[in-house]
Amino acid sequence: MDTWRQVFAINENKFPDDFLFGTATASYQVEGAWNTNGKGENIWDRYTHQYPDKILDKSNGDVACDSYNKLEEDVRLLKNMNVDFYRFSVSWSRILPKGFAYQVNADGIRYYNNLIDLLISNGITPMVTMFHWDTPQNLEYFGGFTNSLIVNWFEEYARILFDNFGDRVKFWITFNEPKQTCAEGYGIGTKAPGYKLFGIADYMCIHNVLKSHARVYHLYNNTYKETQQGKIGITNDAVWSEPKTQSVEDVEAAERGLLFTFGLYTDPIYHYNGDYPQVVKEFVSARSKLEGFSYSRLPKFTPEEITYIKGTYDFFGLNHYTTTLVNNVDPFPIGDPSQIKDARIRTSFSPSWPKTASSWFKVVPWGFTKVLKWIKNRYGDIDIYVTENGYSDHECLNDQERINYYKQYLSALLDAIYDHKVNVKGYAAWSFLDNFEWNDGYVNRFGLYHVNFSDPQRTRTPKASLYYFKNIIKNRKLIKL
Ligand code: NOJ
């Protein structure tokens, strides 16, 4: 890794005065208490219990970091980090055990009220994600995000959140990484609910997620914003697409790849024309026709829907971790539909990119600058909050590689601010704690605090990176190692 350390010059500028530092988690990954005090089952409870083999260490989030019971301690640790904000998510089925608004779990309201109050009394701003992948299981029986009625179900859930927490929560994120819910949950089937309906259900899902997001944005804007004075947005994840060669075909394929994996989710909200990217519409439609469909597998928005969804943001929420090389491929033979076949791309990694513990993830700091520039070029000068960025290793307290990662990626972020005038307003390190890393269980760790998962107390211990991150917050610049 020494060569990697030397290749990049560190940006020594200061973070802007109003730049906010935070850290992030998600309900299923940290809370535990999966069936305590009235919480309903969600799709990750079901998936991990039913298919333990799909999780690397056959584990689940039943106890996770036990953050449900360790709220005071967690807030003390956050306070010790000196973060400006803490991004956490609300478990829909802890608030509404059946997903629907007819049955509200008072204990869920109590729990999040306590968390929010404790954060605020410690000077930490809550940033609240309404949905981080844990759909109530009961709603999945009705098709979950493939059922267009979820727009109403999500609106009713959001109304309860605004009514109960909106007086104190000033940052709302409707959805975290819809691509994972849709493409992995309903497409490839590697995440809950685990359906392999690629090229069809994944597109139905994103259609409904975008409509649900817009409905809740308008609900907030029309009914709550004036009194509650908060901001509302959505978080999407971008993997930067770098052309594998400089051939016209590969350069076009890289752009197309980004539009399929990112623009599909962001254009309808942020692009001045709204709607899905033109190239995505064309490629899915052409491929659908070849496959014998009389319509495109990508559902169409009506002109009214395009207008309704366009502009539904107060900021741009971005999760970013890595980059891939993309090359163009010839049309695939006709068979089962898939987004990859629609996009006609192949992705790979350069062997020179440093590895992490996660198979999908290599260290490529310059991709971060490129993705931030791309967002500004395509969507204009929007306030961007990086709602997640971080590094995975195996269990390790002296995590020098994580320190390196933060240093290089934050330097790339400063490059975007100073060299390209991208308006990045905040940054959340993923993650506050080692936690349940979905299919990678507790094997791959992202935390600034180590958590001992074999200890019933789930003891938290600061890692070297925690001290490094604290120093950045204190100095407002990247110190040299
Ligand atoms: C993004 C997801 O939002 C988060 O839940 C996950 O743990 C991290 N990526 C790392 O994979």
Side-chain angles (χ1 to χ4, degrees):
M1 295 274 163
D2 278 347
T3 44
W4 169 44
R5 232 172 255 174
Q6 285 151 15
V7 171
F8 298 94
I10 293 302
N11 190 317
E12 301 212 5
N13 283 302
K14 281 199 129 183
F15 288 91
D17 289 342
D18 60 351
F19 191 90
L20 301 176
F21 285 100
T23 189
T25 61
S27 45
Y28 187 75
Q29 296 180 273
V30 300
E31 281 180 9
W34 79 279
N35 60 356
T36 305
N37 293 335
K39 178 183 161 290
E41 188 188 19
N42 65 45
I43 59 171
W44 274 92
D45 296 320
R46 175 63 62 96
Y47 185 78
T48 53
H49 293 158
Q50 198 164 2
Y51 310 112
D53 286 346
K54 303 222 185 238
I55 312 297
L56 204 54
D57 54 2
K58 301 188 176 19
S59 64
N60 55 50
D62 288 3
V63 180
C65 306
D66 202 21
S67 287
Y68 175 84
N69 291 308
K70 295 177 85 73
L71 184 146
E72 283 84 10
E73 181 180 345
D74 280 355
V75 176
R76 233 183 1 259
L77 298 181
L78 287 163
K79 171 85 180 160
N80 174 266
M81 284 174 75
N82 280 323
V83 284
D84 301 303
F85 69 95
Y86 177 47
R87 175 179 178 234
F88 64 92
S89 79
V90 176
S91 157
W92 187 340
S93 65
R94 195 178 294 288
I95 299 284
L96 304 177
K98 295 282 183 198
F100 295 115
Y102 70 88
Q103 190 192 339
V104 181
N105 178 27
D107 180 71
I109 304 284
R110 176 202 62 79
Y111 172 68
Y112 294 110
N113 263 332
N114 284 351
L115 177 57
I116 291 165
D117 288 344
L118 213 51
L119 289 169
I120 293 176
S121 64
N122 281 282
I124 302 166
T125 301
M127 181 185 271
V128 181
T129 311
M130 298 176 171
F131 178 83
H132 198 123
W133 307 356
D134 44 359
T135 316
Q137 177 59 36
N138 191 50
L139 299 184
E140 207 57 57
Y141 297 134
F142 297 88
F145 280 96
T146 61
N147 187 333
S148 59
L149 290 174
I150 199 149
V151 180
N152 300 336
W153 310 336
F154 188 66
E155 182 185 21
E156 289 315 295
Y157 165 56
R159 196 190 299 279
I160 289 167
L161 300 188
F162 296 145
D163 283 341
N164 284 280
F165 312 127
D167 54 336
R168 287 150 294 148
V169 173
K170 305 301 167 201
F171 269 105
W172 292 103
I173 293 168
T174 52
F175 290 93
N176 176 71
E177 299 195 354
K179 180 172 69 193
Q180 307 301 326
T181 300
C182 296
E184 302 223 6
Y186 294 100
I188 309 167
T190 44
K191 292 204 161 74
Y195 297 128
K196 295 184 194 303
L197 305 167
F198 213 16
I200 300 181
D202 42 1
Y203 290 137
M204 292 162 69
C205 169
I206 185 54
H207 213 62
N208 294 326
V209 167
L210 285 161
K211 287 187 193 174
S212 305
H213 160 78
R215 176 76 76 80
V216 166
Y217 175 89
H218 289 296
L219 170 71
Y220 190 69
N221 227 21
N222 298 337
T223 313
Y224 294 93
K225 198 170 203 171
E226 203 179 317
T227 50
Q228 301 190 343
Q229 300 279 315
K231 291 184 185 351
I232 182 160
I234 183 168
T235 280
N236 280 287
D237 53 313
V239 172
W240 174 250
S241 276
E242 183 70 10
K244 186 161 185 186
T245 74
Q246 284 311 308
S247 72
V248 175
E249 291 77 14
D250 283 357
V251 170
E252 276 179 14
E255 181 70 6
R256 191 166 71 242
L258 198 57
L259 289 169
F260 261 92
T261 56
F262 189 49
L264 177 69
Y265 308 88
T266 48
D267 265 27
I269 297 172
Y270 304 101
H271 195 275
Y272 64 90
N273 286 334
D275 203 359
Y276 296 120
Q278 192 58 31
V279 69
V280 176
K281 289 194 292 186
E282 280 169 12
F283 272 60
V284 183
S285 167
R287 177 86 192 171
S288 302
K289 206 167 176 182
L290 279 177
E291 290 164 343
F293 286 86
S294 60
Y295 52 88
S296 175
R297 284 178 278 98
L298 179 66
K300 283 191 179 49
F301 288 122
T302 64
E304 293 72 31
E305 287 169 343
I306 290 174
T307 310
Y308 186 75
I309 296 169
K310 194 170 68 176
T312 51
Y313 63 87
D314 293 325
F315 58 88
F316 196 109
L318 174 72
N319 289 355
H320 176 75
Y321 290 86
T322 196
T323 287
T324 53
L325 298 174
V326 177
N327 63 290
N328 183 56
V329 288
D330 290 338
F332 289 84
I334 298 299
D336 287 340
S338 94
Q339 273 195 46
I340 299 294
K341 294 177 187 169
D342 290 337
R344 281 190 39 205
I345 56 164
R346 180 163 296 127
T347 59
S348 55
F349 295 116
S350 160
S352 67
W353 295 343
K355 294 186 177 62
T356 68
S358 314
S359 57
W360 52 270
F361 178 10
K362 312 288 172 213
V363 179
V364 195
W366 49 261
F368 197 13
T369 315
K370 289 197 176 191
V371 90
L372 289 165
K373 270 171 64 183
W374 188 90
I375 292 169
K376 180 177 175 182
N377 289 340
R378 191 164 179 91
Y379 303 128
D381 199 10
I382 305 173
D383 286 355
I384 299 176
Y385 286 85
V386 176
T387 44
E388 278 183 38
N389 176 244
Y391 178 85
S392 68
D393 58 15
H394 295 120
E395 228 174 325
C396 164
L397 282 176
N398 185 15
D399 53 346
Q400 294 303 319
E401 297 311 339
R402 176 167 293 104
I403 292 177
N404 262 318
Y405 180 93
Y406 279 122
K407 186 167 65 159
Q408 306 289 355
Y409 270 67
L410 281 165
S411 177
L413 183 152
L414 284 171
D415 290 348
I417 295 181
Y418 282 96
D419 302 345
H420 307 288
K421 306 285 170 264
V422 183
N423 232 329
V424 190
K425 292 290 190 196
Y427 175 92
W430 184 273
S431 178
F432 168 40
L433 304 171
D434 284 343
N435 57 47
F436 179 77
E437 177 53 16
W438 310 111
N439 302 81
D440 292 336
Y442 299 102
V443 179
N444 294 349
R445 308 291 188 101
F446 277 88
L448 293 166
Y449 282 94
H450 171 268
V451 177
N452 182 351
F453 291 101
S454 25
D455 170 1
Q457 296 305 314
R458 297 298 192 268
T459 307
R460 283 96 160 109
T461 310
K463 300 185 188 177
S465 57
L466 187 267
Y467 298 107
Y468 178 70
F469 194 60
K470 272 182 76 165
N471 260 308
I472 297 173
I473 299 177
K474 181 157 155 240
N475 301 326
R476 306 196 67 78
K477 61 187 297 191
L478 303 171
I479 49 167
K480 286 189 181 161
L481 274 185

